Amino acid sequence: ALEDFDEQTLSDFTKENEKFAPYVEPLLRNDVFKLFALDPDIEEAFATNLNVIVAPVDMPLRDWVARENASTRRVAVPGSLRTSYVTTPAGEAARVSWLLELNSGGEKKTVRSVQYMFQDAGSGYVLTFSTLPSLTTKYEPTFRKSAESFRLG
């Protein structure tokens, strides 16, 4: 779980990436992170990863996605945010992708994130996959299969 990350690592991340601090700290405080998984096959000094967030949602899927996209747009590389809607075995889901720039150890990296957003019974489920743009073609089929395997209830 994310609370298992040591405080120094999270502190260093938010210091190097100040624009993310307002988002990271409330997520940790409210215990919405349910899973954080890293690919052990590190490529180009980056671990492709998945995180799963579950939080209360009291609005229709498309309204929720629009609200979340407004927040994502603040941290995404300008013009990179894309949204579509897909049908999965768990029902309709939003597929949102964007690029973001992170600092790590004084080095800037561009990361591609792909989110699948689901709703059920007043809860929102967000699966966020992140990898390097150069690895997108390699990982996209795995991201899609994983999202299609997601079940609610």
Side-chain angles (χ1 to χ4, degrees), residues 30-35 52-57 123-126 150:
N30 294 322
D31 193 33
V32 297
F33 273 100
K34 302 304 177 190
L35 173 70
V52 178
I53 295 172
V54 180
V57 174
S123 292
Y125 300 82
V126 183
F150 187 72

Side-chain angles (χ1 to χ4, degrees), residues 115-151:
Q115 256 181 5
Y116 288 86
M117 301 172 70
F118 301 85
Q119 274 188 304
D120 185 55
S123 292
Y125 300 82
V126 183
L127 286 62
T128 305
F129 301 90
S130 297
T131 194
L132 297 174
S134 61
L135 300 173
T136 298
T137 302
K138 173 183 176 179
Y139 282 101
E140 184 64 35
T142 302
F143 296 167
R144 186 175 41 258
K145 285 178 190 172
S146 180
E148 289 174 355
S149 74
F150 187 72
R151 299 293 187 271

